[in-house]
Amino acid sequence: MTNSLINVHELFRNISNPEYIIVDCRFDLADENWGYSDYLNSHIPGAQYADLNKNLSGPITSITGRHPLPSSEKFIGFLSEIGIDKNKTVVLYDVSFGSYATRLWWLLRAYGHSSIFLLNGGFQAWIAAGFSIESGITPKKSSKFEGDFSDKYMINQENVEKIINDE
């Protein structure tokens, strides 16, 4: 597997590259409006916003957990709307820990996209490096994402128990 991290200097060198799509994945489980509000106030230039509840999850039902996977139709529509296709390099960030950005990284991998990077250190690293930020909504440049979900990146309870019990 190749390195899945990109540093802020490498992203800065490609900030105007039309083949790069930057996605802000900041979110807070305790305040579901915080991430989008923070995105509107300040984000990496050109970044689109991905909301955990609206874009990266499906509806909660009596048999799902808190953030079930989104439907293929919904997810592919979202990716197309923000300009992601198989030819684009996608850079994802959130706050430094990256838990929400890694969800989108995983979903993109599961749909067959391979040129995906997590911004090492997240938005805080970008700010600490002194690079510019912008506010407001970045205009979308739609594209056509094509892909099918593959469960090769999934693991079930039986597999987890087997790994845990394997000496």
PDB file of all heavy atoms in Angstrom, residues 1-19:
ATOM      1  N   MET A   1       0.839  -1.176   0.000  1.00  0.00           N
ATOM      2  CA  MET A   1       0.000   0.000   0.000  1.00  0.00           C
ATOM      3  C   MET A   1       0.882   1.237   0.000  1.00  0.00           C
ATOM      4  O   MET A   1       1.897   1.300   0.666  1.00  0.00           O
ATOM      5  CB  MET A   1      -0.906  -0.023   1.228  1.00  0.00           C
ATOM      6  CG  MET A   1      -1.889   1.085   1.260  1.00  0.00           C
ATOM      7  SD  MET A   1      -3.091   0.723   2.554  1.00  0.00           S
ATOM      8  CE  MET A   1      -3.651   2.328   2.882  1.00  0.00           C
ATOM      9  N   THR A   2       0.490   2.241  -0.731  1.00  0.00           N
ATOM     10  CA  THR A   2       1.256   3.470  -0.792  1.00  0.00           C
ATOM     11  C   THR A   2       0.932   4.359   0.396  1.00  0.00           C
ATOM     12  O   THR A   2      -0.028   4.150   1.110  1.00  0.00           O
ATOM     13  CB  THR A   2       0.940   4.230  -2.100  1.00  0.00           C
ATOM     14  OG1 THR A   2      -0.455   4.542  -2.113  1.00  0.00           O
ATOM     15  CG2 THR A   2       1.298   3.406  -3.311  1.00  0.00           C
ATOM     16  N   ASN A   3       1.753   5.382   0.579  1.00  0.00           N
ATOM     17  CA  ASN A   3       1.533   6.329   1.666  1.00  0.00           C
ATOM     18  C   ASN A   3       0.221   7.070   1.447  1.00  0.00           C
ATOM     19  O   ASN A   3      -0.023   7.597   0.365  1.00  0.00           O
ATOM     20  CB  ASN A   3       2.709   7.302   1.725  1.00  0.00           C
ATOM     21  CG  ASN A   3       2.624   8.240   2.904  1.00  0.00           C
ATOM     22  OD1 ASN A   3       1.661   8.225   3.662  1.00  0.00           O
ATOM     23  ND2 ASN A   3       3.642   9.047   3.062  1.00  0.00           N
ATOM     24  N   SER A   4      -0.602   7.142   2.449  1.00  0.00           N
ATOM     25  CA  SER A   4      -1.906   7.802   2.342  1.00  0.00           C
ATOM     26  C   SER A   4      -1.907   9.189   2.956  1.00  0.00           C
ATOM     27  O   SER A   4      -2.964   9.799   3.098  1.00  0.00           O
ATOM     28  CB  SER A   4      -2.980   6.942   3.014  1.00  0.00           C
ATOM     29  OG  SER A   4      -3.128   5.738   2.311  1.00  0.00           O
ATOM     30  N   LEU A   5      -0.737   9.691   3.333  1.00  0.00           N
ATOM     31  CA  LEU A   5      -0.649  11.015   3.923  1.00  0.00           C
ATOM     32  C   LEU A   5       0.009  11.990   2.950  1.00  0.00           C
ATOM     33  O   LEU A   5       0.893  11.620   2.193  1.00  0.00           O
ATOM     34  CB  LEU A   5       0.173  10.987   5.215  1.00  0.00           C
ATOM     35  CG  LEU A   5      -0.383  10.184   6.380  1.00  0.00           C
ATOM     36  CD1 LEU A   5       0.608  10.176   7.539  1.00  0.00           C
ATOM     37  CD2 LEU A   5      -1.727  10.729   6.820  1.00  0.00           C
ATOM     38  N   ILE A   6      -0.444  13.231   3.016  1.00  0.00           N
ATOM     39  CA  ILE A   6       0.183  14.309   2.262  1.00  0.00           C
ATOM     40  C   ILE A   6       0.484  15.413   3.272  1.00  0.00           C
ATOM     41  O   ILE A   6      -0.313  15.666   4.175  1.00  0.00           O
ATOM     42  CB  ILE A   6      -0.731  14.811   1.108  1.00  0.00           C
ATOM     43  CG1 ILE A   6      -0.006  15.821   0.230  1.00  0.00           C
ATOM     44  CG2 ILE A   6      -2.033  15.368   1.640  1.00  0.00           C
ATOM     45  CD1 ILE A   6      -0.784  16.180  -1.044  1.00  0.00           C
ATOM     46  N   ASN A   7       1.637  16.041   3.142  1.00  0.00           N
ATOM     47  CA  ASN A   7       1.944  17.114   4.084  1.00  0.00           C
ATOM     48  C   ASN A   7       1.454  18.444   3.527  1.00  0.00           C
ATOM     49  O   ASN A   7       1.125  18.564   2.347  1.00  0.00           O
ATOM     50  CB  ASN A   7       3.432  17.129   4.461  1.00  0.00           C
ATOM     51  CG  ASN A   7       4.325  17.505   3.296  1.00  0.00           C
ATOM     52  OD1 ASN A   7       4.113  18.519   2.638  1.00  0.00           O
ATOM     53  ND2 ASN A   7       5.344  16.699   3.047  1.00  0.00           N
ATOM     54  N   VAL A   8       1.406  19.445   4.385  1.00  0.00           N
ATOM     55  CA  VAL A   8       0.836  20.733   3.989  1.00  0.00           C
ATOM     56  C   VAL A   8       1.632  21.403   2.868  1.00  0.00           C
ATOM     57  O   VAL A   8       1.046  22.081   2.023  1.00  0.00           O
ATOM     58  CB  VAL A   8       0.685  21.687   5.202  1.00  0.00           C
ATOM     59  CG1 VAL A   8      -0.369  21.173   6.169  1.00  0.00           C
ATOM     60  CG2 VAL A   8       2.007  21.931   5.906  1.00  0.00           C
ATOM     61  N   HIS A   9       2.932  21.188   2.830  1.00  0.00           N
ATOM     62  CA  HIS A   9       3.749  21.810   1.786  1.00  0.00           C
ATOM     63  C   HIS A   9       3.445  21.209   0.417  1.00  0.00           C
ATOM     64  O   HIS A   9       3.380  21.932  -0.587  1.00  0.00           O
ATOM     65  CB  HIS A   9       5.235  21.700   2.137  1.00  0.00           C
ATOM     66  CG  HIS A   9       5.555  22.381   3.432  1.00  0.00           C
ATOM     67  ND1 HIS A   9       5.616  23.752   3.568  1.00  0.00           N
ATOM     68  CD2 HIS A   9       5.780  21.876   4.673  1.00  0.00           C
ATOM     69  CE1 HIS A   9       5.874  24.065   4.824  1.00  0.00           C
ATOM     70  NE2 HIS A   9       5.980  22.940   5.516  1.00  0.00           N
ATOM     71  N   GLU A  10       3.250  19.899   0.372  1.00  0.00           N
ATOM     72  CA  GLU A  10       2.888  19.243  -0.890  1.00  0.00           C
ATOM     73  C   GLU A  10       1.498  19.699  -1.346  1.00  0.00           C
ATOM     74  O   GLU A  10       1.280  19.969  -2.532  1.00  0.00           O
ATOM     75  CB  GLU A  10       2.918  17.726  -0.726  1.00  0.00           C
ATOM     76  CG  GLU A  10       2.543  16.950  -1.978  1.00  0.00           C
ATOM     77  CD  GLU A  10       3.571  17.037  -3.092  1.00  0.00           C
ATOM     78  OE1 GLU A  10       4.741  17.379  -2.823  1.00  0.00           O
ATOM     79  OE2 GLU A  10       3.193  16.771  -4.247  1.00  0.00           O
ATOM     80  N   LEU A  11       0.565  19.803  -0.430  1.00  0.00           N
ATOM     81  CA  LEU A  11      -0.759  20.299  -0.796  1.00  0.00           C
ATOM     82  C   LEU A  11      -0.665  21.737  -1.286  1.00  0.00           C
ATOM     83  O   LEU A  11      -1.274  22.093  -2.294  1.00  0.00           O
ATOM     84  CB  LEU A  11      -1.741  20.193   0.373  1.00  0.00           C
ATOM     85  CG  LEU A  11      -3.145  20.749   0.102  1.00  0.00           C
ATOM     86  CD1 LEU A  11      -3.786  20.080  -1.115  1.00  0.00           C
ATOM     87  CD2 LEU A  11      -4.022  20.594   1.330  1.00  0.00           C
ATOM     88  N   PHE A  12       0.114  22.567  -0.597  1.00  0.00           N
ATOM     89  CA  PHE A  12       0.262  23.962  -1.007  1.00  0.00           C
ATOM     90  C   PHE A  12       0.796  24.066  -2.442  1.00  0.00           C
ATOM     91  O   PHE A  12       0.336  24.899  -3.219  1.00  0.00           O
ATOM     92  CB  PHE A  12       1.180  24.712  -0.035  1.00  0.00           C
ATOM     93  CG  PHE A  12       1.359  26.153  -0.398  1.00  0.00           C
ATOM     94  CD1 PHE A  12       0.340  27.067  -0.175  1.00  0.00           C
ATOM     95  CD2 PHE A  12       2.539  26.604  -0.973  1.00  0.00           C
ATOM     96  CE1 PHE A  12       0.490  28.405  -0.523  1.00  0.00           C
ATOM     97  CE2 PHE A  12       2.701  27.921  -1.327  1.00  0.00           C
ATOM     98  CZ  PHE A  12       1.679  28.832  -1.101  1.00  0.00           C
ATOM     99  N   ARG A  13       1.750  23.195  -2.793  1.00  0.00           N
ATOM    100  CA  ARG A  13       2.299  23.200  -4.161  1.00  0.00           C
ATOM    101  C   ARG A  13       1.234  22.840  -5.196  1.00  0.00           C
ATOM    102  O   ARG A  13       1.366  23.181  -6.361  1.00  0.00           O
ATOM    103  CB  ARG A  13       3.477  22.237  -4.270  1.00  0.00           C
ATOM    104  CG  ARG A  13       4.752  22.771  -3.668  1.00  0.00           C
ATOM    105  CD  ARG A  13       5.965  21.934  -4.033  1.00  0.00           C
ATOM    106  NE  ARG A  13       5.964  20.602  -3.445  1.00  0.00           N
ATOM    107  CZ  ARG A  13       6.376  20.313  -2.213  1.00  0.00           C
ATOM    108  NH1 ARG A  13       6.820  21.268  -1.425  1.00  0.00           N
ATOM    109  NH2 ARG A  13       6.361  19.079  -1.770  1.00  0.00           N
ATOM    110  N   ASN A  14       0.184  22.150  -4.777  1.00  0.00           N
ATOM    111  CA  ASN A  14      -0.868  21.718  -5.701  1.00  0.00           C
ATOM    112  C   ASN A  14      -2.210  22.414  -5.464  1.00  0.00           C
ATOM    113  O   ASN A  14      -3.224  21.990  -6.005  1.00  0.00           O
ATOM    114  CB  ASN A  14      -1.054  20.200  -5.594  1.00  0.00           C
ATOM    115  CG  ASN A  14       0.088  19.463  -6.243  1.00  0.00           C
ATOM    116  OD1 ASN A  14       0.174  19.399  -7.458  1.00  0.00           O
ATOM    117  ND2 ASN A  14       0.977  18.925  -5.428  1.00  0.00           N
ATOM    118  N   ILE A  15      -2.212  23.482  -4.682  1.00  0.00           N
ATOM    119  CA  ILE A  15      -3.473  24.111  -4.278  1.00  0.00           C
ATOM    120  C   ILE A  15      -4.289  24.607  -5.485  1.00  0.00           C
ATOM    121  O   ILE A  15      -5.512  24.603  -5.444  1.00  0.00           O
ATOM    122  CB  ILE A  15      -3.228  25.255  -3.257  1.00  0.00           C
ATOM    123  CG1 ILE A  15      -4.512  25.578  -2.498  1.00  0.00           C
ATOM    124  CG2 ILE A  15      -2.627  26.474  -3.913  1.00  0.00           C
ATOM    125  CD1 ILE A  15      -4.912  24.567  -1.492  1.00  0.00           C
ATOM    126  N   SER A  16      -3.637  24.974  -6.574  1.00  0.00           N
ATOM    127  CA  SER A  16      -4.353  25.462  -7.759  1.00  0.00           C
ATOM    128  C   SER A  16      -4.476  24.402  -8.849  1.00  0.00           C
ATOM    129  O   SER A  16      -4.983  24.686  -9.931  1.00  0.00           O
ATOM    130  CB  SER A  16      -3.643  26.697  -8.326  1.00  0.00           C
ATOM    131  OG  SER A  16      -3.659  27.731  -7.374  1.00  0.00           O
ATOM    132  N   ASN A  17      -4.020  23.209  -8.564  1.00  0.00           N
ATOM    133  CA  ASN A  17      -4.067  22.124  -9.544  1.00  0.00           C
ATOM    134  C   ASN A  17      -5.509  21.655  -9.711  1.00  0.00           C
ATOM    135  O   ASN A  17      -6.118  21.158  -8.760  1.00  0.00           O
ATOM    136  CB  ASN A  17      -3.176  20.972  -9.063  1.00  0.00           C
ATOM    137  CG  ASN A  17      -3.059  19.851 -10.057  1.00  0.00           C
ATOM    138  OD1 ASN A  17      -3.902  19.678 -10.932  1.00  0.00           O
ATOM    139  ND2 ASN A  17      -2.004  19.054  -9.909  1.00  0.00           N
ATOM    140  N   PRO A  18      -6.079  21.781 -10.909  1.00  0.00           N
ATOM    141  CA  PRO A  18      -7.480  21.374 -11.102  1.00  0.00           C
ATOM    142  C   PRO A  18      -7.704  19.864 -10.965  1.00  0.00           C
ATOM    143  O   PRO A  18      -8.844  19.421 -10.867  1.00  0.00           O
ATOM    144  CB  PRO A  18      -7.799  21.857 -12.519  1.00  0.00           C
ATOM    145  CG  PRO A  18      -6.477  21.955 -13.200  1.00  0.00           C
ATOM    146  CD  PRO A  18      -5.478  22.296 -12.132  1.00  0.00           C
ATOM    147  N   GLU A  19      -6.636  19.099 -10.906  1.00  0.00           N
ATOM    148  CA  GLU A  19      -6.760  17.655 -10.736  1.00  0.00           C
ATOM    149  C   GLU A  19      -6.835  17.257  -9.265  1.00  0.00           C
ATOM    150  O   GLU A  19      -6.944  16.081  -8.943  1.00  0.00           O
ATOM    151  CB  GLU A  19      -5.599  16.935 -11.428  1.00  0.00           C
ATOM    152  CG  GLU A  19      -5.563  17.146 -12.934  1.00  0.00           C
ATOM    153  CD  GLU A  19      -6.864  16.728 -13.612  1.00  0.00           C
ATOM    154  OE1 GLU A  19      -7.344  15.607 -13.358  1.00  0.00           O
ATOM    155  OE2 GLU A  19      -7.412  17.535 -14.391  1.00  0.00           O
TER     156      GLU A  19
END
